[in-house]
């Protein structure tokens, strides 16, 4: 959670100081991620164990808060990161 918040602050500061365009048009995977977030929120609302489901304790791998920050990280990476495909050959 801390790494995602720090990355979000750096991305926001970077977008304010640079002239780089940010892609805001949603793609098909973005809709799937938002649908997955909706399913997780509905699951949290319907569970009788709200505290366990929110934090992901007591044998649960991920809670709602962890999944929200994973999805925030997805949007930050797809919007702000540039992946260049360089192949370095070392002889």
């Amino acid at each position: 959670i801390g790494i995602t918040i720090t990355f979000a602050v750096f991305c926001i500061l970077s977008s304010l100081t640079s002239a780089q365009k940010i892609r805001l048009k949603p793609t098909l995977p973005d809709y799937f991620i938002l649908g997955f977030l909706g399913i997780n929120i509905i699951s949290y609302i319907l569970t009788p164990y709200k505290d366990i489901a929110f934090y992901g304790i007591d044998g649960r791998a991920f809670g709602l808060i962890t999944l929200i920050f994973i999805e925030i990280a997805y949007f930050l990476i797809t919007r702000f990161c540039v992946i260049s495909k360089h192949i370095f050959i070392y002889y």
Side-chain angles (χ1 to χ4, degrees), residues 33-79:
I33 288 291
L34 290 174
F36 183 63
L37 176 63
I39 290 169
N40 286 310
I41 291 172
I42 291 170
S43 175
Y44 172 74
I45 290 170
L46 296 177
T47 185
Y49 308 106
K50 301 269 190 253
D51 54 343
I52 294 173
F54 187 73
Y55 293 110
I57 54 176
D58 197 32
R60 298 179 191 263
F62 295 115
L64 179 65
I65 191 74
T66 307
L67 289 170
I68 288 172
F69 277 95
I70 288 171
E71 292 165 2
I72 289 171
Y74 164 79
F75 283 108
L76 289 173
I77 290 170
T78 57
R79 298 304 189 262

